[in-house]
Amino acid sequence: MMSEETIDPETVSALPPRVEEARLLEIAAELPGKTITAISTGRAQAAEQLALARPDATVSCWYIDAYRADKAILQIGQLPNLTVQCCADWPDHPCDLALLPLSVSGEAELSRELMQQAYSHLTIGGHLITSVDNAKDKWLHEQMKTFEKSVKVRSFDDANVYFVQKTAELKKQKDFSCELAFKDCDVLIKLVTRPGVFSHRQLDNGARQLLDAVDVYPQARLIDIGCGSGAVAIGAAMREPSATVMAIDSSARAIDCTQRGVRLNGLENVEVRLNHDGQLPEESSFDMALANPPYYADFRIAERFLATAHRVLRPGGRLVLVTKQPNWYREHLPELFEDVEVFESRRYWIASGVKS
């Protein structure tokens, strides 16, 4: 057993962990573990502190999103026994301690899948620890009971922590992915969606409006920035077999969905690539860029989408995007593009511009 005193907060990065991760770490410090796998709602602080406190342990921190993984690497630096990974699913190696800090604002179905994957990778006798930034939580507690009847609880003023010891393998595992289909130009298109990827279990109406707004010409080179489950990239590629489409996203799980959709539809003209910074060797080479940027919160992601489109489009190439916030694009698209148009499309707006 380890004691909490073996972890010295002064030896680690100055950025403190979020409350759910900090509370989880307090319990993790009391439990044994030589092979530790964690997720993080922040910058891998719990994994970092455990790696420092247990130099003989092997610690892995897993992210679905490449941007967040890179931020964690920059934050914690290099530790010989800590690896930060970005992949679509729980790292495929056994562990004897699994850490899952969760936020009350997170996606319930994704949380359920993460818990199932974590528990299934635990060795018998290993511990699964989950936490949530909600002192009145009941939902997460009930979910933990599906793995082991005996769930230990530590309650704090700002969070709850739950932990179980694995006694047996799962008899059955739920498949949380979903296969769906939609028609485009009278052609049936198949998609795969998963928890944690935008518009799980349904075709996003914005993607539908974006597809309706574009024509795909023979031999055209297109890029779908932030491809999600791949609806726009796959739809564009199926319209014109001689065209080539690149689909990029910062989410490894979105990339997995798009790749599966490409295989389901038998496509050979789609390249799928994990990318979060828009830095691509194919600069100034695409005829059209398509995007469905997030239209909630601030516009930092939208700004990156515009910059990426401007970088990869050839002179005369066109950006076409769908949004629910037309005024921001009316103001900012002319900073990078010419011939800007913004027009309504049902409950959405289509914005476009040409690279000079």
Side-chain angles (χ1 to χ4, degrees), residues 60-347:
S60 173
C61 188
W62 164 52
Y63 289 90
I64 291 174
D65 187 82
Y67 175 80
R68 295 186 62 212
D70 278 3
K71 285 289 188 181
I73 292 170
L74 290 173
Q75 176 69 35
I76 64 180
Q78 297 291 326
L79 290 174
N81 60 333
L82 173 58
T83 302
V84 176
Q85 297 177 266
C86 176
C87 45
D89 293 285
W90 191 269
D92 194 20
H93 53 74
C95 61
D96 56 13
L97 184 59
L99 314 179
L100 271 77
L102 302 170
S103 172
V104 69
S105 62
E107 181 184 338
E109 196 166 9
L110 176 60
S111 297
R112 290 173 59 204
E113 184 174 19
L114 294 178
M115 283 187 278
Q116 177 178 273
Q117 290 191 357
Y119 189 87
S120 65
H121 282 83
L122 271 179
T123 56
I124 300 298
H127 290 88
L128 167 62
I129 315 175
T130 64
S131 63
V132 63
D133 54 342
N134 177 15
K136 298 181 180 180
D137 169 74
K138 294 182 180 179
W139 181 86
L140 184 57
H141 191 189
E142 291 302 314
Q143 297 303 313
M144 288 289 282
K145 289 179 181 178
T146 64
F147 302 105
E148 296 286 347
K149 292 182 180 179
S150 177
V151 180
K152 295 182 179 180
V153 182
R154 295 283 184 89
S155 296
F156 300 87
D157 292 339
D158 49 11
N160 275 351
V161 182
Y162 309 102
F163 54 107
V164 297
Q165 187 171 22
K166 184 172 180 177
T167 59
E169 299 295 343
L170 291 174
K171 294 181 179 179
K172 185 178 181 181
Q173 295 195 36
K174 177 178 173 62
D175 183 1
F176 290 89
S177 66
C178 172
E179 184 178 322
L180 57 92
F182 71 97
K183 276 194 172 183
D184 180 63
C185 298
D186 295 324
V187 175
L188 191 67
I189 298 175
K190 298 177 182 178
L191 293 182
V192 175
T193 69
R194 299 188 64 186
V197 179
F198 178 63
S199 195
H200 180 38
R201 299 192 182 279
Q202 62 184 343
L203 175 67
D204 172 54
N205 288 326
R208 172 78 277 172
Q209 296 307 304
L210 182 56
L211 272 173
D212 288 346
V214 300
D215 294 318
V216 182
Y217 297 101
Q219 308 299 324
R221 283 174 49 80
L222 294 85
I223 182 169
D224 182 7
I225 303 170
C227 60
S229 62
V232 172
I234 292 170
M238 292 191 71
R239 286 187 185 179
E240 178 51 63
S242 71
T244 57
V245 181
M246 179 181 291
I248 64 172
D249 203 290
S250 67
S251 166
R253 184 160 283 201
I255 293 302
D256 174 68
C257 288
T258 303
Q259 289 172 332
R260 290 166 67 174
V262 167
R263 291 193 294 268
L264 275 176
N265 292 283
L267 293 171
E268 297 182 354
N269 59 336
V270 181
E271 180 184 356
V272 188
R273 193 180 296 180
L274 182 68
N275 180 278
H276 71 81
D277 59 7
Q279 299 296 327
L280 299 167
E282 297 87 350
E283 292 190 4
S284 301
S285 64
F286 290 94
D287 301 300
M288 183 178 291
L290 307 174
N292 184 5
Y295 36 79
Y296 48 83
D298 58 40
F299 289 92
R300 287 179 296 175
I301 297 177
E303 289 173 346
R304 290 200 293 269
F305 277 30
L306 297 190
T308 298
H310 188 267
R311 189 180 304 115
V312 301
L313 283 170
R314 62 168 175 78
R318 179 175 290 275
L319 165 65
V320 184
L321 60 86
V322 63
T323 184
K324 283 190 173 181
Q325 302 287 345
N327 290 336
W328 188 88
Y329 291 96
R330 285 194 181 101
E331 179 182 352
H332 292 280
L333 265 180
E335 296 171 3
L336 293 174
F337 297 91
E338 297 179 341
D339 300 331
V340 170
E341 296 180 84
V342 181
F343 59 89
E344 195 168 6
S345 178
R346 296 185 184 178
R347 293 182 298 128

